[in-house]
Amino acid sequence: MYQILIVEDDTDINNSTAAYLRRQGCACIQAFSGTEGRLLWKEHGCDLMLVDLMLPGLSGSELIREVRLSSRTPVIVLSARMELSDKVELLELGADDYLTKPCQLEELWARIKVQLRHAGAASAGQRLHFRDWVLDPEEMTLTAAGMPVELTAHEFRIVELLAERPRKVFTKQQIYEAVWGEAYAVEDKTITVHISNIRAKLRASKTDGYIQTVWGIGFKLAEA
């Protein structure tokens, strides 16, 4: 399930877009200002962002600029501004696509699918870097502070999941269902045991502290 962050201050447009995308099988996070959008992006991450330009608080342009400092998350701009110079400026800033409002939701969905495909193709086989970690998804190898770390397939997938969205807090249920592809059983200790094993294997590289426990919720990566 793709997670899409909608940053749009028009309540009707935000709600109707979210309702449509949920019918397509997406999970949607809704923000109604640029400042809220930045907060939700940092807390939850997303697979794609839909961003209006004229936002209260942080503008859409400023939000895109901040996102691009650390992420290649696809961004589609939705705006009533139609000037060519605006479109060129946004694409140079880091937006991946631009739709003029009002737009047809069917066209928006088609463009979202294109960007998600591009993002998937770009990341396939591409190494992931997080602080002193380097992950190679094709070979399923992890190097931590220059040291190879021997992980099982499930352990590697857990680390990869966390590294793909280092700002996101994952619940045990989310980790289990993403890695094992099965429904999570309440009180199942599988994830806790696997995280403990991963940390033990990372101890020699002094990067075991990268995996942070968020008490009562789950796990995320510590950015510093």
Side-chain angles (χ1 to χ4, degrees):
M1 179 183 291
Y2 291 111
Q3 183 161 271
I4 297 178
L5 174 58
I6 303 169
V7 190
E8 166 65 69
D9 65 325
D10 186 305
T11 303
D12 291 338
I13 293 176
N14 197 318
N15 288 338
S16 62
T17 302
Y20 177 84
L21 293 177
R22 287 179 181 126
R23 291 197 296 272
Q24 310 312 311
C26 297
C28 293
I29 304 172
Q30 294 175 254
F32 298 88
S33 72
T35 307
E36 185 184 14
R38 176 174 60 188
L39 176 64
L40 292 174
W41 172 67
K42 288 184 176 180
E43 285 185 351
H44 302 287
C46 62
D47 296 300
L48 181 139
M49 298 176 68
L50 299 177
V51 180
D52 185 21
L53 289 183
M54 306 300 291
L55 293 167
L58 195 72
S59 73
S61 298
E62 291 169 328
L63 176 59
I64 295 169
R65 185 178 292 108
E66 287 200 25
V67 169
R68 280 293 170 263
L69 291 174
S70 61
S71 173
R72 283 303 310 163
T73 299
V75 177
I76 297 178
V77 170
L78 305 177
S79 177
R81 287 162 53 178
M82 301 177 61
E83 291 80 3
L84 178 61
S85 59
D86 292 328
K87 297 180 182 181
V88 171
E89 178 185 350
L90 286 165
L91 292 172
E92 290 179 345
L93 188 64
D96 297 280
D97 202 352
Y98 186 111
L99 269 175
T100 303
K101 294 192 296 186
C103 61
Q104 296 295 318
L105 291 173
E106 291 80 4
E107 180 183 2
L108 173 61
W109 176 232
R111 295 193 182 217
I112 287 172
K113 289 191 290 185
V114 168
Q115 293 304 324
L116 291 173
R117 281 200 302 270
H118 287 172
S123 63
Q126 190 174 59
R127 291 185 174 186
L128 284 172
H129 296 261
F130 177 79
R131 295 176 64 180
D132 291 326
W133 287 355
V134 180
L135 292 86
D136 188 323
E138 284 196 347
E139 297 185 4
M140 295 187 70
T141 58
L142 168 64
T143 302
M147 301 174 59
V149 181
E150 296 295 329
L151 299 176
T152 66
H154 284 146
E155 289 168 352
F156 179 84
R157 183 66 188 107
I158 290 171
V159 175
E160 182 184 26
L161 183 69
L162 296 172
E164 285 172 342
R165 293 189 189 171
R167 291 184 175 86
K168 179 177 173 61
V169 179
F170 287 90
T171 65
K172 293 178 183 178
Q173 178 178 349
Q174 289 172 327
I175 295 172
Y176 187 89
E177 292 180 355
V179 173
W180 275 264
E182 302 172 0
Y184 179 73
V186 178
E187 301 304 323
D188 190 306
K189 299 186 184 303
T190 301
I191 299 303
T192 302
V193 171
H194 275 70
I195 293 291
S196 177
N197 291 340
I198 293 167
R199 283 173 171 157
K201 293 179 178 182
L202 290 168
R203 204 159 290 135
S205 66
K206 295 182 171 56
T207 65
D208 50 302
Y210 286 11
I211 302 178
Q212 176 182 352
T213 300
V214 182
W215 296 107
I217 304 177
F219 302 93
K220 71 181 294 290
L221 293 187
E223 296 187 77

